[in-house]
Amino acid sequence: MPLGRPSQSSAPRGAAITAHPRPVAVVTGASSGIGAEFARRFAVRGYDLVLVARRADRLAALADELAADHGTTATVLTADLADPAAPAEVVRELESRGLLVDALVNAAGFGTYGPLLTAEPDRVAAEIQVNVTALTLLSRLLLPDLAASRRGILVNVASTAAYQPGPSFAVYAATKAYVRSFTEAVWAEHRGSRLRVLALAPGPADTEFFDVAGSDRFRVGQVLPVPRVVDVAFRALDRPSPPPSVVPGLRNAATAALAGALPRRLVLRVAARLAGA
Ligand SMILES: NC(=O)c1ccc[n+]([C@@H]2O[C@H](COP(=O)([O-])OP(=O)(O)OC[C@H]3O[C@@H](n4cnc5c(N)ncnc54)[C@H](OP(=O)(O)O)[C@@H]3O)[C@@H](O)[C@H]2O)c1
């Protein structure tokens, strides 16, 4: 493979790369919240980590914590996933460090509260780039490694917002509907293989998410602690036949199912009222 360009093929990137003695998990959005918790859980399970986000200080602190608590080797990759070049650069960095990837968690993401009419266009573009495009490209570029691994795992973090449109957070809900649809399709493409693919669709969790979004008006649903959310993901992944997606929390799961069954006008009216649209 030519250096400086990640492989476009479906072959694992391993030919020129020495197998790592411990499995390796790449976690985006590892500087905070759900991504940081995934990193801790993989460390407990004996994985080495690659931590991806913009805030290098947070990633370095987590890397130190994982090394001290679990003897983990954690590589910090600082990347702004709103930059269209970032996914390929992340994969190039993995190659240059000789890392084959066994697990990928795409947790990086953010939302924005408010009507589309007044949304900042650059922020809209960045939201789609991070939540959709970067997630899709990292999934694609690392899929050959994941599929070749004896314990391949791909987790893409969607949201309960994936189950109905989101007045006052229209772009965010649409990006998460994409993540769910995309990930479930990839699940079907790998059904019967060793690769475990999961769309994790949490309801509200106590992270920095609502500060970044600019409001907690769309903090709608059953609030769960972050460790509970990640527990649910690992319980699903540990099943002999993992489901394509999982919604943590019985009430959140029931609401998501109901949203798919009720008339669209009614769903939109309720969604708008709950979000203060
Ligand atoms: N919390 C909730 O209620 C909730 C509910 C459903 C789904 N989710 C989803 O869960 C995922 C994790 O969110 P969270 O709740 O843990 O929120 P969070 O605490 O705000 O964490 C978001 C993570 O995404 C990273 N990120 C954001 N923009 C980025 C960019 N341009 N480049 C690289 N990394 C970026 C952040 O890192 P840096 O700022 O350091 O770059 C941070 O690590 C997101 O996809 C979110 O949509 C959250």
Side-chain angles (χ1 to χ4, degrees):
M1 180 177 24
L3 263 185
R5 231 181 74 216
S7 168
Q8 306 294 302
S9 82
S10 60
R13 297 174 304 115
I17 299 177
T18 331
H20 199 70
R22 280 154 61 99
V24 173
V26 174
V27 180
T28 74
S31 61
S32 171
I34 293 169
E37 186 65 19
F38 264 106
R40 292 191 177 96
R41 298 303 179 84
F42 275 111
V44 170
R45 288 176 172 230
Y47 285 68
D48 282 339
L49 267 302
V50 178
L51 309 173
V52 182
R54 288 168 301 182
R55 287 172 291 178
D57 53 339
R58 293 276 199 101
L59 298 178
L62 180 58
D64 290 347
E65 176 196 318
L66 300 182
D69 292 354
H70 309 290
T72 308
T73 301
T75 303
V76 168
L77 290 188
T78 310
D80 181 353
L81 295 173
D83 175 351
E89 279 166 10
V90 166
V91 173
R92 247 192 321 267
E93 275 298 321
L94 296 172
E95 282 170 5
S96 73
R97 290 159 199 258
L99 292 171
L100 277 176
V101 178
D102 298 280
L104 169 64
V105 178
N106 281 302
F110 71 94
T112 310
Y113 182 80
L116 186 65
L117 184 64
T118 54
E120 169 59 45
D122 286 348
R123 186 169 164 121
V124 169
E127 197 167 321
I128 296 169
Q129 190 70 34
V130 175
N131 295 6
V132 171
T133 310
L135 173 146
T136 304
L137 284 176
L138 284 171
S139 299
R140 166 61 188 96
L141 292 170
L142 293 177
L143 202 53
D145 279 16
L146 302 178
S149 166
R150 278 188 294 113
R151 53 196 135 198
I153 291 176
L154 171 62
V155 177
N156 287 331
V157 182
S159 164
T160 45
Y163 291 82
Q164 66 284 303
S168 282
F169 50 103
V171 173
Y172 179 71
T175 66
K176 293 302 181 178
Y178 173 94
V179 172
R180 178 187 165 213
S181 169
F182 166 72
T183 309
E184 290 185 345
V186 177
W187 176 92
E189 288 176 3
H190 291 272
R191 200 170 183 189
S193 81
R194 288 174 303 195
L195 177 61
R196 286 166 287 169
V197 178
L198 181 71
L200 172 64
D206 279 324
T207 67
E208 295 168 18
F209 178 84
F210 296 99
D211 296 335
V212 174
S215 170
D216 61 5
R217 281 306 299 265
F218 65 124
R219 206 168 180 275
V220 177
Q222 178 188 4
V223 181
L224 293 183
V226 172
R228 229 347 254 297
V229 169
V230 178
D231 274 346
V232 170
F234 275 108
R235 269 211 303 278
L237 290 167
D238 287 342
R239 285 196 222 161
S241 175
S245 51
V246 66
V247 179
L250 271 181
R251 269 193 286 139
N252 288 334
T255 308
L258 198 61
L262 290 174
R264 217 57 172 164
R265 274 174 192 267
L266 175 61
V267 169
L268 280 164
R269 206 173 328 131
V270 173
R273 176 128 39 87
L274 289 174

